[in-house]
Each structure stands twice: as C-alpha cells, then as structure tokens.
Amino acid sequence: MKKAVILFLLIGLLVDQNVFGQKLTEKKVRKIFRQSEILQEHLVGFMVQEETGSIVYAQHENIHFVPASNTKLFTLLAGLVILGDSIPAFQYEILGDSLILWPTGDPSFLHPKLDNGRVYHFLAKTPYKIFIADQAPIHYEPSYWRPDPAHFPIYANTVNVKGLNTGFFEINPKVMIDFAKPDSSLVLKEFDILRAKTGNLLIYPILPVPESFESLLPFPMDLEMSRFLLQDTLKREIQLIRRNKGKDLGTFYSIPSDSLYKHMMLPSDNFLAEQVLLLCSSTLGDTLDMQRAIGHVQENWLMDLRHPPIWEDGSGLSRYNLFTPNTVLAVLNMLEDRLGDLDRLKALMPAGGVSGTLKTAYELDRGEAFVWAKTGTLKNMHLQSGWLETRKGKRYRFVFMNNNFTRPTAEVRKEMVRIISHLREKY
C-alpha cells in the first residue's frame, strides 16, 4: 500500500514538473532576451500577454518608440469604431437635372485591387448631369514619391508606365500621357520617369526606354484632377461646383470595409491608411482632416490609457509618432473586443509564412501559420505586434518593438522570428 502511495505521489510530481516546464514564465522570457546578443545592442520593447489578460513579461513597456507601420493598428481601430461595414464612396444630392457629389476620400474607385464596379456603374448610368462639390483642400505634407491624399482618388492616384519595343513608353490611364514631358536637365544613368517636385508634370530624361521598363508612379491629385480623370473615364462632362451641403443627402457605398482594411494591413499600404483616416473624418463632419479623426479616437477610445499615443498620421511614415508597448498592447485588446471574432481579425493581419509582410519572414510549423501581426519598418527600426499561437494550444498577444539599431534590418528581423518561433515550439 505504501509503495502504491509513493508511486502515485511520484507520478503526480512528475506531471506537475512537466506542466510547469511547459508554462511560459517571466523568468524564461527574461533569459531568452538576456541571451540574445543582437537585442542587447539597441532599444527593445517587448510584452507578451496571456488570453486572460495576465502579463507574462514586459520590458521597456512604458518607453515611447517610433512605431512605423504599427501605427496602422490604430488606423484600423479608427475605421472599426467610426465606419460601418461598407465604405461610403460619396454623399450626393439630386437637384433638378443635376447630381451633386461630395466625395469622402474613398480610395477604391478604379483601384486595381479594390474596385468592384458599383461606383462606376452608378455614375455611368445616371441620367443626371454630374457635378463634384468643391471642398477645402486636404492638409498634408507633400511628397513627390508617394500618392497624394485626396477627396476623390482615382486609379489609386498612380499611373502605370511600361516600355514599348519602339524605344518609347505607354501610360495607363492613357489620358495622363499629356502630363509626361521630357526634361533635358534631368541627368540619370538609365531611363526613369518621375513626378516633378512641383506642379503636375511627370518628367523623364532624354534616353532610350528599355522594353522591360515598368513603373507605378504617383501623380499630383486634387479635385480638379479628379474631375478631369472622371470625365475621361465616363466620357461625359463633369464640372466642379461651389455648393454647401443640404440637409437631406444620400450616401452611396462602394466596397465592404474589411476589403479596404485587408488591403491596407497585409501589404502595409500607406496610401490606403491615410485615406481611411480621411474617410473617418468625412463621416464625423464636413471636412476631410486626418487630425480630426485621430483626435476623435483619442478622446473617445484612448482616453484612459496611461500613455496616450503621440499620433500624427495613418500610415506610420511620420517619425513624430510615438507609442509605448503598453499602448500598442491595449489597442490589440481593443481590436479583439471591437470585432469579437478573432478569426476575422486574423484575416486582416499578415500571417507568418502565408500572407502580407510576414509571408517570407516565418516558415509554417507543421503546415500551420502561428503568428498574425502587423509589422513596421523604417530605417533603423523594425516592429511586430499581434497574436501568437503555440504548439501547446496557448494563444498570446505580443508587442515587439526595436528602435535605433545599426545592424541591417534583416538581422534584427531574423532574431525576432527566432524568438517568436521558440515561444511557439516550447510553450
């Protein structure tokens, strides 16, 4: 009898030790980070949280980091709390024989990956004369290398330039060829076509165009350019008009909101991120202003955070953005709470070994993805924040922020992947 009792106690002790050995603890995570030579060289913020909300480990959780494209997690939250399940393309009023449009910043019209044809068919078939209501200009920091934020984006505010076997090139949309001009002062080693730093021209050097040349190029965008391109697309006259909004406006919707969010999050599309904030702003009031949307989310959803984010844009391109790991983790929790459907949320995130900016970073484990996270990269900065599922069936939220490193980004990313993969395999 005594032998049976002793054997039972020994088995119980072994089981307890095995379970404890599998448990992720603060001590184990701290050891992982202390043993990482790479992560001793720069500022690292890291948090890992159990499903229950219990924090397993936190490092520099209250230090502000430049978040890069982790900012898009905040932009996604803004869309989810302000916009509905469909994207408003424009508000409109029918007045006599006229259809007057107030664009909302919807980026899907003729977008090569987003457009579903609803807006085009509505406008193409309307019997009314079409007018676009003029609106206050959008305030943003101009950049000649990325698309302009716009009231009424068309073709994602980009042109597609391809070389021909004639030594010249073609542009789509074709009407934009009128804006392409040779510039003898442009000295390049090989042919390229660029957006001029001022004005609305696309300039290129006087050089032969390789048949293999292809480039997606942003073009200057304002409501006059939108009118010009819409007129060319519909093959009917479109005019700008000065008119205040009436009381009884209709709203025309274009695409499902999740379609826009997915195309923003997976490839980390900066243009779409800025447009989401403009869409939020147009829903809140009459002016398209990113700061209004940011302010609304901060005042109504982020007001109880210990460290309110310094939040400047939708994309994360601004180095003025500053978030703590604690703040990012809070937003991960808010996203879960808002959607109430983790599978839907995971579908909006890059999946390691499967999609988006994590497709080549991670390998599948036993044929499965195990990390869904938003990445962020600027020079000397790389971040990942999202969800991890382990072989033991545990699910964790994590925030992994690296700033001010001098190694190549690929080396830091590889070390991050090694650590997250280790947590997957062992716990």
Side-chain angles (χ1 to χ4, degrees), residues 1-12:
M1 181 68 179
K2 288 183 178 179
K3 290 182 178 180
V5 171
I6 292 171
L7 181 61
F8 179 79
L9 291 173
L10 286 173
I11 291 172

Coordinates of all heavy atoms in Angstrom, one line a residue, residues 1-12:
M1 N 0.8 -1.2 0.0 CA 0.0 0.0 0.0 C 0.9 1.3 0.0 O 0.6 2.2 -0.7 CB -0.9 0.0 1.2 CG -1.9 1.2 1.3 SD -3.1 1.2 0.0 CE -4.0 2.6 0.3
K2 N 1.9 1.2 0.9 CA 2.8 2.4 0.9 C 3.5 2.6 -0.4 O 3.7 3.7 -0.8 CB 3.8 2.2 2.1 CG 3.3 2.3 3.5 CD 4.3 2.2 4.5 CE 3.8 2.3 5.9 NZ 4.8 2.2 6.9
K3 N 3.9 1.5 -1.0 CA 4.6 1.6 -2.3 C 3.7 2.2 -3.4 O 4.1 3.0 -4.2 CB 5.1 0.2 -2.8 CG 6.2 -0.4 -2.0 CD 6.6 -1.7 -2.6 CE 7.8 -2.3 -1.8 NZ 8.2 -3.6 -2.3
A4 N 2.4 1.9 -3.3 CA 1.4 2.4 -4.3 C 1.2 3.9 -4.1 O 1.1 4.7 -5.0 CB 0.1 1.7 -4.1
V5 N 1.2 4.3 -2.8 CA 1.0 5.7 -2.5 C 2.2 6.5 -2.9 O 2.1 7.6 -3.5 CB 0.8 5.9 -0.9 CG1 0.9 7.4 -0.6 CG2 -0.5 5.3 -0.5
I6 N 3.4 5.9 -2.7 CA 4.7 6.6 -3.1 C 4.7 6.8 -4.6 O 5.1 7.8 -5.1 CB 5.9 5.9 -2.5 CG1 6.0 6.0 -1.0 CG2 7.2 6.4 -3.1 CD1 7.0 5.1 -0.4
L7 N 4.4 5.6 -5.3 CA 4.4 5.7 -6.8 C 3.4 6.7 -7.3 O 3.7 7.5 -8.2 CB 4.0 4.3 -7.3 CG 4.0 4.1 -8.8 CD1 5.4 4.4 -9.4 CD2 3.5 2.7 -9.2
F8 N 2.2 6.8 -6.7 CA 1.2 7.8 -7.1 C 1.8 9.2 -6.9 O 1.6 10.1 -7.7 CB 0.0 7.6 -6.2 CG -1.1 8.6 -6.6 CD1 -1.9 8.5 -7.7 CD2 -1.4 9.7 -5.7 CE1 -2.9 9.4 -8.0 CE2 -2.3 10.6 -6.0 CZ -3.1 10.4 -7.1
L9 N 2.4 9.5 -5.7 CA 3.0 10.8 -5.5 C 4.1 11.2 -6.4 O 4.2 12.3 -6.9 CB 3.5 10.9 -4.0 CG 2.4 10.8 -2.9 CD1 3.1 10.7 -1.6 CD2 1.5 12.0 -3.0
L10 N 4.9 10.2 -6.8 CA 6.0 10.4 -7.7 C 5.4 10.8 -9.1 O 5.9 11.7 -9.8 CB 6.9 9.2 -7.8 CG 7.8 8.9 -6.6 CD1 8.5 7.6 -6.8 CD2 8.8 10.1 -6.5
I11 N 4.4 10.0 -9.5 CA 3.8 10.3 -10.8 C 3.2 11.7 -10.8 O 3.3 12.5 -11.8 CB 2.7 9.2 -11.1 CG1 3.4 7.9 -11.4 CG2 1.9 9.7 -12.4 CD1 2.4 6.8 -11.5
G12 N 2.5 12.0 -9.7 CA 1.9 13.4 -9.6 C 3.0 14.5 -9.7 O 2.8 15.5 -10.3

